[in-house]
Amino acid sequence: MFRAGFVAIVGRPNVGKSTLLNRLLGEHVAIVSARPQTTRTRILGVVHEEGAQIALFDTPGLHRAESPLNRRMVETALGTLAEVDVALLLVEAGTGPDLRVDPGETVRWITQEIRKSGKPAVLGINKVDRVPRLTLLPVIEAYRGLFDWAAVVPFSALTGENVDHLTRALGALLPEAEAPLFPEDVLTDQAERVLAAEYVREQAMELTRDEIPYALAVEVEEFDESSRREGGGLVRIGAVVWVERESQKAIVIGKGGSMLKRIGTRAREKLERLLGTKVFLRLTVKVEERWRERAASLKRLGIGP
Ligand SMILES: Nc1nc2c(ncn2[C@@H]2O[C@H](COP(=O)(O)OP(=O)(O)OP(=O)(O)O)[C@@H](O)[C@H]2O)c(=O)[nH]1
Ligand SMILES: [Mg+2]
C-alpha cells in the first residue's frame, strides 16, 4: 500500500521547523537562524520514502503579529494548515534553564487552530539533545492534555535522533494513493534564485544584531547561468539587500565594506555547495523606508499568501 499527501509543519518561531525540513531532505532548502521569525514564506520539501511520499510545508512561526509583514507570515502559516492532510505541531523541549513544562498561550492558540482545521495532528517535541531524557516526561504529559495527538514524538532535528519515527508517524496518516504526487527527483519548490536571495538573508541575519535582522530583505536582480549552460561553471548573481534606514545601511555595509563582504563570502560559499558551480555574487545595499508595511513591496518580495 502506498500513501501520499501534504503535511504542514507549524509552531512558534525558532522551534526548529526549518531545521527539520532540511534534515528530512538532506539539503539546505530552508534558511535557519538563531533568531525567531526567520522563515517568511512557505517552503515545500518532498520526502520520498519506501511506502510513502510526504510533501511537507515549512511555514513561518506563529506569533501575535502586528506589522503587515508579520501578519502575512501568520496568514501564510494558517492558510497552509487549511490545505494539508496532516498537521505537525513542533514545540521545543525545555527552553532556558528552567525547563518549561507549560505549553503556553501561543501553543494553546495554535492547537485551537489545528482543532478548527479538523486535521489529524502529530506533536513533535524538538531539541531533545539539550535536555535530560527524564525531564521530558512531564512535558509530554502537559502537551497530551491539549489535543488528541495521533502521535507524540520527541526528536532532535539537529542530531537526527528519532526523526525516522516522526516520518513514520506522518506517513501513516496520509491518504492512500495510486501514485506519488511528485516525480522522484523533486525535492523542493524553491527556485535557485529564491534560494540565492534566502542564503544572503540567512548570513545577513546571522551577522547583524538588534532590529536589523528583521528589517532586512533580499531581492535577486540578476541570475545569469548562461556560462553554466555553456559548461563554464559560473553562475553570476546580483542581489539587493534592502533595509529600512540609512543607519542600518551603514551597518550592513560595515567599515570599508567589511560587513557586506563577510555576508557575501559566507553566502557565496554555501551557494556554491548547493548549486555545484562557482558563483560570482554581487551585493548592493539599498534603503526602502517601511518596506515591511507596504503591500507592493511585500508582494514584490514574494511574502504573503
Ligand atoms: N539544540 C538544538 N537546536 C536546534 C534543533 N533544531 C533547531 N535548532 C536551532 O534552533 C534555532 C532555530 O531553528 P530554525 O529551524 O530556524 O527554527 P524555525 O522554527 O524554522 O524558526 P522560524 O523560521 O523563525 O519560525 C537554530 O539556531 C537551530 O540551529 C535541535 O534539534 N537541537
Ligand atoms: Mg524557519
Side-chain angles (χ1 to χ4, degrees), residues 158-204:
L158 199 68
T159 66
E161 182 187 345
N162 230 20
V163 165
D164 52 337
H165 287 183
L166 197 55
T167 29
R168 271 204 298 282
L170 294 170
L173 292 170
L174 295 178
E176 285 179 38
E178 298 272 306
L181 300 164
F182 298 92
E184 278 284 324
D185 58 352
V186 170
L187 192 72
T188 181
D189 62 346
Q190 300 293 288
E192 285 180 346
R193 62 184 296 145
V194 173
L195 288 167
E198 286 288 87
Y199 274 36
V200 173
R201 187 164 66 89
E202 182 175 52
Q203 296 310 322

Side-chain angles (χ1 to χ4, degrees), residues 19-90:
T19 308
L20 173 65
L21 188 76
N22 293 340
R23 160 69 59 182
L24 291 173
L25 298 178
E27 287 280 356
H28 197 72
V29 303
I31 64 166
V32 166
S33 89
R35 302 172 202 288
Q37 298 169 28
T38 301
T39 305
R40 289 175 176 163
T41 59
R42 79 174 190 188
I43 298 168
L44 175 70
V46 184
V47 177
H48 306 267
E49 295 277 290
E50 185 73 24
Q53 185 177 68
I54 313 173
L56 296 115
F57 285 115
D58 178 20
T59 65
L62 285 161
H63 61 285
R64 298 257 166 241
E66 303 209 330
S67 76
L69 164 66
N70 290 59
R71 280 208 300 273
R72 275 176 171 68
M73 286 160 57
V74 167
E75 282 165 21
T76 298
L78 294 179
T80 303
L81 188 57
E83 290 174 35
V84 295
D85 302 295
V86 174
L88 170 59
L89 172 61
L90 279 206

Side-chain angles (χ1 to χ4, degrees), residues 34 54-55 90 99 101 107 123 136 157 159 162 166 169 171 190-191 233 247 261 277 293 302:
I54 313 173
L90 279 206
L99 305 174
V101 172
V107 166
L123 178 75
L136 276 176
T159 66
N162 230 20
L166 197 55
Q190 300 293 288
S247 59
K261 197 165 172 205
T277 59
E293 291 165 35

Side-chain angles (χ1 to χ4, degrees), residues 29 33 76 95 98 101 112 116 124 151 175 207 213 253 270 302:
V29 303
S33 89
T76 298
T95 21
D98 52 330
V101 172
Q112 199 53 41
K116 273 200 282 183
L207 291 169
I253 292 174
K270 289 190 84 171

